Amino acid sequence: MKTFDYTIKDELGIHARPAGLLVKEAKKFESACTITKDGKTKKLTQLMMLMSLGVKQGDTVTIEADGADEDAAITALKEFFESNL
C-alpha cells in the first residue's frame, strides 16, 4: 500500500472536469485507488462518490493505491494532482 497527501490548489477544488479525468486515470490501474478527506474514504473510480466529498481549494486529501501496480498508480496519480489540482 502506497499513499501521499496533497493540498488542493485549484480555486474550484475537485470539480466535474478534473474529477472525470481523475476517474479515467485511476481506472488505468489494477490497484484499488482511494481518496480520503476528513475521515471519509471513496474509490477514485466512482465519479459521483468522488464528487460527494466536496473537496475545495486548501483541503488536504490522502490518496492511496493498494495492489499489484501500486507504485505505478501512485506515481501517475501524484503527477495528475500536481498538474491538474
Side-chain angles (χ1 to χ4, degrees):
M1 176 174 56
K2 302 279 184 181
T3 65
F4 72 92
D5 291 330
Y6 185 79
T7 301
I8 303 300
K9 295 172 182 65
D10 187 299
E11 62 187 30
L12 299 174
I14 299 181
H15 54 97
R17 186 189 55 79
L21 295 172
L22 180 55
V23 167
K24 193 174 180 180
E25 185 69 24
K27 285 184 175 181
K28 293 179 183 177
F29 301 99
E30 184 181 317
S31 298
C33 300
T34 60
I35 183 170
T36 303
K37 177 191 166 235
D38 298 335
K40 295 178 185 166
T41 301
K42 306 291 182 186
K43 291 181 180 178
L44 280 177
T45 54
Q46 298 176 330
L47 180 61
M48 296 313 290
M49 298 305 281
L50 172 59
M51 295 295 293
S52 74
L53 287 175
V55 180
K56 306 280 186 240
Q57 182 182 28
D59 289 345
T60 299
V61 295
T62 301
I63 307 303
E64 180 180 301
D66 187 17
D69 56 358
E70 63 190 29
D71 290 323
I74 213 75
T75 299
L77 291 171
K78 187 178 274 191
E79 286 176 15
F80 178 89
F81 273 81
E82 289 168 358
S83 299
N84 297 285
L85 295 166

